Amino acid sequence: MRSPHYKWVALSNTTLGVLLATINQSILLIALPDIFRGVGVNPLAPGNTSLLLWLIMGYMVVTAVLVVGLGRLGDMFGRVKMYNAGFAIFTFFSIMLAITWMHGTPGILWLIAMRIFQGVGGAMLMANSAAIITDAFPSNQRGLGLGLNQVSAIAGSFIGLVVGGLLAPIEWHLVFVVSVPIGLFATVWAYLRLHDTGVRQHARMDWWGNLTFAVGLIAVLVGITYGIQPYAGHSMGWTNPWVLTALIGGAAVLVLFCVIETRVAEPMFHIGLFKVRAFAFGNLASLLASLGRGGLMFVLIIWLQGIWLPQHGYSFERTPLWAGIYMLPLTVGFLVAGPVSGYLSDRFGALLFATGGMLVAALSFVWLMELPVNFSYWQFAAALLLNGLGMGLFASPNRAGIMNSLPARQRGVGAGMTATFQNAAMVLSIGIFFSLMITGLSSSLPHTMQSGLTAQGVPAAQAHRIAGLPAVSVLFASLLGYNPVQTLLGPATLSHLSTAHQQYLTGRSFFPQLISGPFADGLGVAFGFAIAACLVAAAASAMRGGRYVHVEEPAADATADANSDAMAALDRVRD
């Protein structure tokens, strides 16, 4: 007989799992300057942009691709077994990352490969954690359990920024070492204390579905990754034939995947689940919320590291750590609103909290858009807190509403589908936000940079060459806490300038002031997109209807297949 305390064991272990997985999604963002310096690679040098992007996004891409298939395997062979294996794989490749000994490009390639394999373990954790909690908790407490789990997952993305900022300046290997003891403890703990309580569904693997889904999604995400890089004199690569082939071909393969899933007996992606209103509109709202939120941390880090912190006396080397610290109000908002809204949604349903949360998030983006680039911090902190509260209000009830609507035998694949939408939207959001920022920067940055450099005595030909720097390089310089002016001008050019001009050009104020105006143009466009995404997410959330709690039909349990479960399910609606 299951212990009444087992649900808390399941919650604490799975929450630790998703927290560790999501911290590792963002921990590199702040640590990247120290990592690249540690292995002796300049991330802003020509040809190294791809290495930088893959080190950031490789983990996200693999988790987005694998979570559905791994959730399906959890339904078939046991969610706890898959979850335990995920912890072991994640921990092993954390060790492989921590012992990195190579330097130069081989060192970065090793890190990228190990991050991809680490992402396999992370995907196994994310694919099965929500299903394990749903199995362990009664329906009237799932909102609280899933809320705590979901908030920890989202908060982990921001906690990773602070952890990376604290550890990387001490020793960049510590960024990976920190996961090892936690992973070892949690792997043993999960093996000893977790056990499967859900319904297993013995079925054949949908190999064609898995293959077409992986190929299609990887092609689209790779296309997005290379689309934000310069190509043939353009600020971005959306006209690159390879990018177009990847995007169009990937989309076509995903359409083929959808056709396959409607024709196989035991599909990987249960299209029939979208006939459940709470599942369909909950996932649509989650997708749009992730689009609005996904690129937010990049924009805020660039804003803080590249402009605000240097203008307020912080050296470029110190900005990564302080950017993470100054973003803490966002995490506080998540941690406060998530558990409370999850608990209340158990009583009143998800609609009010999830819809209201997206409206609050949209309001916070309006506030951020209205702030001057050189803002007063208390206003910035209040806007971040409001954004965290809105996202926290949304995340917990929305996840609980989705999971409550699922048949027991499909909770693993359903959770995997939801995680796929969120993770793919994160990568897509990064591509959208970077594209919008680059579009805003490209319209005014070249003229601003050229006039600013010539005003400080830089020869016109040299200033014109530097002004042609791709906007994405300026964004990456800001993201990494670099002062690119010193590197771009070089000692030869600087030696011909007066001491005053040298100090001003390479100091803390010239570069931030130079890009403030063009950055504000891109910022307005990016936040405008986030506002639109949140408002559409609120509309989708409002269309979820009353509260669905799936109740199995005992007579049908043994024979119902995947699609008939979604159609024949008896859903109890609680107003």
Side-chain angles (χ1 to χ4, degrees):
M1 183 177 177
R2 188 172 66 188
S3 166
H5 302 296
Y6 175 74
K7 60 187 176 184
W8 303 114
V9 173
L11 175 62
S12 55
N13 190 277
T14 54
T15 297
L16 181 61
V18 297
L19 184 64
L20 198 60
T22 53
I23 283 176
N24 276 272
Q25 281 184 334
S26 62
I27 198 170
L28 289 192
L29 294 180
I30 295 294
L32 281 172
D34 294 287
I35 292 173
F36 273 89
R37 278 193 289 267
V39 297
V41 173
N42 179 6
L44 302 180
N48 287 346
T49 305
S50 297
L51 298 177
L52 175 66
L53 278 172
W54 275 111
L55 193 55
I56 295 173
M57 298 175 70
Y59 183 96
M60 299 181 189
V61 169
V62 75
T63 53
V65 169
L66 293 180
V67 284
V68 173
L70 294 172
R72 171 70 164 166
L73 289 174
D75 287 339
M76 292 167 59
F77 302 110
R79 290 152 196 161
V80 168
K81 286 183 179 179
M82 295 299 297
Y83 181 84
N84 291 349
F87 245 137
I89 292 170
F90 184 92
T91 304
F92 175 77
F93 285 105
S94 295
I95 296 171
M96 292 295 100
L97 286 161
I99 63 172
T100 300
W101 69 95
M102 291 180 283
H103 291 83
T105 301
I108 295 295
L109 292 175
W110 167 269
L111 290 173
I112 291 171
M114 294 303 101
R115 282 280 288 174
I116 289 174
F117 287 120
Q118 186 190 44
V120 175
M124 296 172 83
L125 295 175
M126 288 188 278
N128 293 283
S129 62
I132 291 171
I133 292 172
T134 306
D135 290 339
F137 276 77
S139 63
N140 64 341
Q141 293 184 327
R142 283 177 192 154
L144 175 62
L146 290 167
L148 290 169
N149 187 264
Q150 177 75 351
V151 168
S152 70
I154 297 174
S157 299
F158 298 100
I159 293 172
L161 302 178
V162 179
V163 174
L166 287 171
L167 297 179
I170 300 171
E171 165 56 53
W172 67 268
H173 287 88
L174 293 177
V175 172
F176 305 113
V177 172
V178 69
S179 298
V180 175
I182 301 172
L184 289 171
F185 166 75
T187 300
V188 175
W189 183 26
Y191 178 78
L192 295 176
R193 298 299 304 276
L194 293 183
H195 52 269
D196 275 304
T197 60
V199 178
R200 286 196 199 180
Q201 181 179 0
H202 296 285
R204 290 175 298 177
M205 197 66 178
D206 175 18
W207 294 112
W208 282 111
N210 277 273
L211 178 63
T212 52
F213 179 77
V215 169
L217 190 56
I218 288 174
V220 170
L221 297 181
V222 168
I224 292 169
T225 301
Y226 285 96
I228 61 177
Q229 299 184 50
Y231 169 74
H234 299 285
S235 58
M236 288 180 286
W238 299 116
T239 57
N240 185 334
W242 289 107
V243 171
L244 292 173
T245 300
L247 293 174
I248 297 171
V253 174
L254 288 176
V255 171
L256 176 62
F257 161 75
C258 292
V259 174
I260 290 172
E261 295 305 275
T262 61
R263 302 195 175 190
V264 296
E266 297 168 343
M268 152 195 174
F269 209 96
H270 294 304
I271 306 297
L273 288 176
F274 290 104
K275 296 177 181 178
V276 179
R277 187 173 177 179
F279 182 84
F281 284 104
N283 274 298
L284 177 58
S286 178
L287 174 69
L288 291 162
S290 295
L291 282 177
R293 184 185 72 244
L296 172 65
M297 70 177 73
F298 286 89
V299 173
L300 295 180
I301 291 170
I302 290 168
W303 196 353
L304 287 170
Q305 290 187 189
I307 298 176
W308 194 85
L309 286 168
Q311 288 182 328
H312 288 77
Y314 294 85
S315 67
F316 283 95
E317 291 75 21
R318 294 171 60 208
T319 56
L321 169 61
W322 285 99
I325 293 172
Y326 277 122
M327 287 174 61
L328 280 176
L330 189 62
T331 305
V332 171
F334 276 122
L335 295 177
V336 169
V340 174
S341 63
Y343 172 78
L344 293 176
S345 70
D346 284 331
R347 297 186 59 188
F348 304 108
L351 191 150
L352 177 64
F353 298 99
T355 305
M358 280 294 94
L359 294 176
V360 170
L363 179 62
S364 71
F365 282 119
V366 174
W367 190 347
L368 286 168
M369 187 166 61
E370 293 301 314
L371 288 178
V373 174
N374 192 10
F375 50 78
S376 174
Y377 180 70
W378 74 266
Q379 295 177 322
F380 181 77
L384 289 190
L385 179 64
L386 185 66
N387 186 274
L389 290 170
M391 292 294 183
L393 281 172
F394 168 81
S396 304
N398 189 67
R399 172 60 71 90
I402 291 171
M403 295 303 296
N404 275 335
S405 71
L406 290 171
R409 69 182 65 199
Q410 294 176 31
R411 286 172 184 160
V413 71
M417 290 163 70
T418 299
T420 295
F421 292 135
Q422 290 181 336
N423 293 338
M426 289 283 285
V427 179
L428 179 59
S429 178
I430 292 167
I432 292 172
F433 270 78
F434 267 85
S435 297
L436 294 174
M437 293 294 297
I438 291 168
T439 300
L441 281 169
S442 299
S443 62
S444 54
L445 180 64
H447 172 73
T448 303
M449 185 171 285
Q450 183 166 349
S451 60
L453 290 171
T454 54
Q456 298 301 317
V458 177
Q462 184 82 343
H464 178 74
R465 181 184 65 80
I466 296 173
L469 179 75
V472 69
S473 297
V474 175
L475 287 179
F476 284 150
S478 302
L479 179 65
L480 296 170
Y482 274 69
N483 181 356
V485 176
Q486 185 171 358
T487 303
L488 292 169
L489 289 176
T493 301
L494 287 171
S495 65
H496 289 86
L497 303 177
S498 68
T499 302
H501 281 158
Q502 288 184 43
Q503 292 176 346
Y504 180 63
L505 285 171
T506 60
R508 291 192 293 262
S509 59
F510 175 73
F511 180 67
Q513 290 177 2
L514 188 72
I515 67 171
S516 289
F519 183 81
D521 295 337
L523 202 62
V525 177
F527 283 145
F529 169 79
I531 292 166
C534 289
L535 290 176
V536 179
S541 177
M543 296 175 68
R544 72 177 69 238
R547 185 185 176 204
Y548 278 93
V549 179
H550 183 92
V551 178
E552 302 290 345
E553 289 186 48
D557 280 351
T559 57
D561 63 17
N563 289 322
S564 65
D565 263 336
M567 298 174 62
L570 174 60
D571 290 302
R572 181 169 69 251
V573 180
R574 297 176 183 172
D575 295 325

